[in-house]
């Protein structure tokens, strides 16, 4: 309930708000529903639909043991300096530019079936947005360009609890909520960059505590997100 209240889905009397009803229509976790609503305001809904769809699937990449170096090199061609979420959009747009080619997927060690599932998920989410009054024009995907800051700001509106700051002494990150020490996962495009502030979509427990699907953010965006929620 605390999470729903902080996202603006419940009022002070724990009654569902109009925002909460819109969020509940999407069959995804509330923080991502909130990010979709924020994306409408930030004129990046098409890209956020893609992001949520891609984060909903598993095994997007594959790397045969005898071709691991080639797979890693192929994955780096999608890398975006602002993080893993923008990297996903790069991958999606290049796949579209290749007319959804399964051969392109094989050459780039991307799971074509997983992408096909993401297409179905995206269509489902887009249909819900249309029923809520979003104009179809706003769901159209750009072939090459996107607003990185708008997308990351929209993520902050829903996932503001998933933020960490780099500790200069240890080089690790300290989560804002819970004060846990975490590391950026080695597969992240930001693993060697180590920006000061990050937003993550997933917390993974192995031998260490890692964060995955990481984006660079600015701390002032969090204040703006809290004001809108």
């Amino acid at each position: 309930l605390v999470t729903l209240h902080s996202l603006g889905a419940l009022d002070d009397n724990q009654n569902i708000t109009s925002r909460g009803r819109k969020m509940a229509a999407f069959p995804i976790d509330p923080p991502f529903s909130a990010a979709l609503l924020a994306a409408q305001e930030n004129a990046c809904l098409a890209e956020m639909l893609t992001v949520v769809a891609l984060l909903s699937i598993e095994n997007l990449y594959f790397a045969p043991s005898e071709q691991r170096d080639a797979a890693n090199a192929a994955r780096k061609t999608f890398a975006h300096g602002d993080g893993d979420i923008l990297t996903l959009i790069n991958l999606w747009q290049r796949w579209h530019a290749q007319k959804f080619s399964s051969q392109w997927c094989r050459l780039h060690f991307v799971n074509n079936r997983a992408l096909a599932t993401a297409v179905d998920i995206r269509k489902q989410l887009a249909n819900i947005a249309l029923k809520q009054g979003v104009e179809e024009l706003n769901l159209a995907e750009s072939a090459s360009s996107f607003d990185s800051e708008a997308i990351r700001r929209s993520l902050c509106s829903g996932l503001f609890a998933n933020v960490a700051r780099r500790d200069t002494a240890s080089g690790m990150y300290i989560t804002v909520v819970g004060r846990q020490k975490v590391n950026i996962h080695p597969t992240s495009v930001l693993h060697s960059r180590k920006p000061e502030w990050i937003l993550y979509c997933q917390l993974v427990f192995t031998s260490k505590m890692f964060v995955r699907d990481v984006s660079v953010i600015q701390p002032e965006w969090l204040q703006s997100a809290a004001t809108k929620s």
Side-chain angles (χ1 to χ4, degrees):
L1 291 179
V2 172
T3 299
L4 293 173
H5 185 270
S6 64
L7 290 170
L10 297 178
D11 62 21
D12 292 339
N13 296 317
Q14 297 187 2
N15 296 314
I16 190 167
T17 62
S18 58
R19 176 183 174 85
R21 281 188 286 274
K22 287 184 178 181
M23 289 170 55
F26 294 99
I28 53 178
D29 290 340
F32 289 103
S33 297
L36 286 176
L37 296 186
Q40 295 180 31
E41 300 173 3
N42 294 330
C44 60
L45 178 58
E47 290 79 11
M48 189 58 64
L49 288 169
T50 298
V51 167
V52 174
L54 288 171
L55 290 175
S56 300
I57 61 175
E58 296 181 354
N59 303 319
L60 177 58
Y61 302 100
F62 65 92
S65 56
E66 69 278 8
Q67 295 180 287
R68 191 158 293 162
D69 289 344
N72 289 337
R75 189 170 178 176
K76 287 179 181 178
T77 64
F78 309 124
H80 191 288
D82 290 332
D84 302 316
I85 299 303
L86 288 305
T87 295
L88 288 176
I89 299 178
N90 274 344
L91 184 157
W92 182 269
Q93 290 186 342
R94 293 184 192 180
W95 181 53
H96 274 222
Q98 295 298 318
K99 304 186 185 304
F100 315 104
S101 167
S102 58
Q103 181 180 3
W104 179 89
C105 286
R106 286 194 298 274
L107 291 173
H108 291 83
F109 302 91
V110 176
N111 187 334
N112 187 64
R113 289 187 178 181
L115 283 178
T117 299
V119 169
D120 291 339
I121 294 171
R122 190 186 185 283
K123 286 179 180 177
Q124 180 185 6
L125 298 175
N127 285 334
I128 294 170
L130 286 172
K131 290 178 181 177
Q132 294 184 352
V134 174
E135 293 185 12
E136 191 166 358
L137 178 66
N138 295 328
L139 303 178
E141 299 175 81
S142 169
S144 59
S145 62
F146 53 83
D147 187 336
S148 171
E149 181 173 324
I151 294 165
R152 289 177 291 140
R153 280 181 176 270
S154 299
L155 283 171
C156 283
S157 293
L159 285 81
F160 48 78
N162 292 10
V163 169
R165 185 180 188 182
R166 181 168 53 84
D167 176 47
T168 53
S170 66
M172 298 177 68
Y173 283 82
I174 309 295
T175 61
V176 172
V177 176
R179 305 294 298 171
Q180 298 183 81
K181 291 184 177 181
V182 298
N183 295 276
I184 296 177
H185 197 273
T187 58
S188 171
V189 298
L190 297 177
H191 180 252
S192 60
R193 256 192 70 191
K194 303 247 186 318
E196 183 177 2
W197 288 88
I198 59 171
L199 178 144
Y200 57 91
C201 297
Q202 188 179 6
L203 197 60
V204 180
F205 299 90
T206 56
S207 57
K208 296 180 181 179
M209 198 176 300
F210 290 103
V211 290
R212 302 188 68 164
D213 302 317
V214 181
S215 298
V216 180
I217 64 164
Q218 300 300 322
E220 57 267 24
W221 297 351
L222 300 173
Q223 181 62 42
S224 175
T227 301
K228 291 181 180 180
S229 298

